[in-house]
Structure formats: structure tokens, C-alpha cells
Amino acid sequence: MSNEQNRVRKATRVESVMNSAMWHLAQRDMTESELLAKLRVKTDNQAWIDETLEKLRGFGYLKSDNDFAIQFIERSFFSEYGSGYITEKLKKKGIKSDVISEAIERVKEDKQIDEQDIVTERINNYYSEFNMSREKLTATLQKRGFSYAQVKEAIAQHPQSSQLQSNLEIKAAKADLEKEVLKYVRKGKGLTVIRQELRQRKIDITDL
């Protein structure tokens, strides 16, 4: 038995199930799957659960998974999140993959959403110049649900994209050429190998 089941007082009548449902819905919007999980902690009586859900639908208090998904998707796109983020969040709320993908396509069509435009606009508005690595920027935008290809295209069009360095390039710019060469010499490496290794690490070997 879970901790939640230990804490929740079991329902002795159908009204208690309804009161519990109304309390949960007052806290935040829930999918039917999420509310169902809460009510199953409250009671094992499926008839009471079914009656409660039916009444909530009738009152308009409980959205269908499709309606919930559409509202969530609209909010997410307008808050500059991509499909990857949306899909992950809705799956955690118990909504089926086919419902999610159909809702995403419907919102894109109805609201004329272009995810490439969203990520491009975000980069242009939030980053007048870049003070992070290419990898970090890519990871930040992928966490918002955009694909690697979308992020790459958005970065490429930015006026300062040539300034965006990789982790390797940032590290190389801070490297002390003399110290790096001595490390290789101590390992018994010859000049040709040292040049090759330093080039791979993006370290400037002009003064070598």
C-alpha cells in the first residue's frame, strides 16, 4: 500500500468520492486519467467512480483528454515550447500517444503554428550575442522540446552565429600552448604527433 493510500480516508459513500474529485479539480486542471488515479486511492467502488466522472462531465468540470491536450498544446506553443516537450508532459498525464499527436497537428493547423519560426524567434529575441557554448545552447532549446535539426537551423540564421563556439573551442582558447606542448613531450610524443593532437583539440599552433 502506498503512502498516499495510507493518508487518504476511504470513502464510505458516493458523495465523499464527488467531494474528493471536486477538491482535486479545484487545485489544478487534471486529465481524466489523473483524476481517476486519485479517486482509486479514495475508493475501490468502481460504480461510485463511474457515477462521479459522469456527473463531472455533465457539469462541464472534467475535460476530455482531447480537450485537455488541445488547451495544453496551445498554451505551450504560445509560451515557446516545442512538440517534444508537449508530448512528454501529456504522456506523464496519462494521455495516449495517438490523442497527443492528433491534437498537436490540429492545433498547428488551426493556429498556423510553425515550430521552426518559434525556435528561430526565441533565439533572436533572447540571445543578441552568445555567452555560452554551442552544446549548451542546443541542449537548452532541446529541453524546450525542439529537435536538433530545428535548433541547428535557428542558430545558423542568427547574425552572431559565427561567434558561437563549441566546448572544445572555448577550452582551446584558454589553453597555454607551452604547457600543452610540454605535457606531450613528457609523454615522449614527437612534433608531428603534437601538432596533430593540438589541431584536433582546436588549439592554435601558429606559434609552435
Side-chain angles (χ1 to χ4, degrees):
M1 188 178 284
S2 72
N3 289 334
E4 188 176 4
Q5 286 173 315
N6 283 330
R7 288 196 306 270
V8 173
R9 183 182 294 173
K10 290 291 184 181
T12 53
R13 55 203 179 98
V14 68
E15 288 79 10
S16 300
V17 182
M18 174 60 84
N19 290 341
S20 177
M22 293 296 287
W23 184 85
H24 284 299
L25 289 172
Q27 304 308 303
R28 65 178 176 86
D29 260 359
M30 282 189 170
T31 64
E32 197 163 310
S33 306
E34 286 179 305
L35 183 59
L36 186 57
K38 297 288 186 186
L39 296 184
R40 282 186 173 147
V41 175
K42 189 73 177 170
T43 182
D44 299 324
N45 189 320
Q46 189 60 45
W48 288 356
I49 291 174
D50 290 343
E51 184 181 331
T52 298
L53 293 177
E54 194 59 42
K55 281 183 178 175
L56 290 170
R57 290 189 205 104
F59 296 148
Y61 294 155
L62 187 61
K63 299 182 184 81
S64 69
D65 282 358
N66 185 60
D67 288 344
F68 184 97
I70 285 172
Q71 285 191 7
F72 182 86
I73 292 162
E74 286 179 358
R75 284 199 307 270
S76 297
F77 278 143
F78 289 119
S79 300
E80 298 181 337
Y81 286 96
S83 293
Y85 168 91
I86 291 166
T87 302
E88 184 187 341
K89 291 292 181 184
L90 290 177
K91 276 184 179 175
K92 283 181 180 174
K93 291 180 177 295
I95 298 180
K96 292 177 182 175
S97 297
D98 58 336
V99 173
I100 297 169
S101 56
E102 283 172 20
I104 287 173
E105 289 311 309
R106 182 175 159 187
V107 171
K108 279 185 175 181
E109 190 176 331
D110 289 351
K111 303 292 181 184
Q112 296 186 320
I113 300 289
D114 185 326
E115 285 188 71
Q116 188 61 59
D117 286 349
I118 294 174
V119 68
T120 298
E121 201 170 311
R122 186 168 183 85
I123 282 185
N124 292 343
N125 289 342
Y126 278 78
Y127 306 96
S128 54
E129 55 185 38
F130 299 113
N131 54 7
M132 63 177 74
S133 70
R134 182 178 290 272
E135 288 89 344
K136 187 172 180 182
L137 177 60
T138 301
T140 298
L141 293 166
Q142 283 184 298
K143 276 182 187 172
R144 296 188 72 86
F146 300 105
S147 70
Y148 178 78
Q150 287 168 339
V151 173
K152 188 179 177 184
E153 187 176 327
I155 291 171
Q157 62 74 48
H158 194 284
Q160 304 298 325
S161 61
S162 59
Q163 290 182 359
L164 189 59
Q165 294 182 307
S166 66
N167 285 329
L168 199 63
E169 288 168 330
I170 292 169
K171 201 173 176 183
K174 295 175 182 175
D176 183 312
L177 182 61
E178 190 175 338
K179 286 180 182 176
E180 295 301 325
V181 171
L182 283 172
K183 283 179 194 173
Y184 286 113
V185 170
R186 289 192 193 103
K187 291 177 184 175
K189 306 279 186 184
L191 187 58
T192 305
V193 174
I194 292 172
R195 282 181 189 278
Q196 189 178 345
E197 293 272 351
L198 293 176
R199 271 200 204 98
Q200 284 178 347
R201 291 173 55 200
K202 305 283 187 184
I203 295 175
D204 183 5
I205 58 171
T206 311
D207 298 330
L208 184 61

